[in-house]
């Protein structure tokens, strides 16, 4: 009985080290799998505001805001006074 107890005491640190190593490897592989799964299934959503602002910038680049309001403008798009 004493021989078995001594054998268990001798093997216990090795057993616990291997158990800890298996746990670390399996958890890291799970983490890597989750990371790759997240990267693979990631689909960014494009908000609608770039299209809105793009069209607004195109309007202001091509025409004058004052001209769009129906007021008289000169060649530069400035309010015509007089």
């Amino acid at each position: 009985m004493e021989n078995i107890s001594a054998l268990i005491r001798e093997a216990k640190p090795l057993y616990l080290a291997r158990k800890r190593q298996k746990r670390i490897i399996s958890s890291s592989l799970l983490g890597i799998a989750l990371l790759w799964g997240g990267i693979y299934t990631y689909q960014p959503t494009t908000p609608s505001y770039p299209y809105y602002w793009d069209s607004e910038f195109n309007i202001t680049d091509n025409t004058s805001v004052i001209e769009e309001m129906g007021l008289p403008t000169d060649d530069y798009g400035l309010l015509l006074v007089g």
Side-chain angles (χ1 to χ4, degrees), residues 10-23:
E10 184 180 337
K12 185 177 180 181
L14 179 63
Y15 172 74
L16 292 177
R18 285 186 180 174
K19 187 176 177 182
R20 183 175 60 242
Q21 186 179 17
K22 285 181 184 179
R23 189 180 314 137

Side-chain angles (χ1 to χ4, degrees), residues 56-78:
E56 291 297 318
F57 287 136
N58 285 338
I59 290 172
T60 56
D61 286 343
N62 297 332
T63 60
S64 171
V65 176
I66 298 170
E67 186 179 1
E68 289 177 13
M69 291 172 37
L71 298 172
T73 58
D74 59 2
D75 295 336
Y76 298 106
L78 301 173

Side-chain angles (χ1 to χ4, degrees), residues 27-54:
S27 64
S28 63
L29 288 176
L30 177 65
I32 290 170
L34 289 175
L35 180 68
W36 276 106
I39 290 171
Y40 183 71
T41 60
Y42 175 69
Q43 294 178 352
T45 57
T46 55
S48 60
Y49 67 85
Y51 303 112
Y52 172 76
W53 285 111
D54 187 36

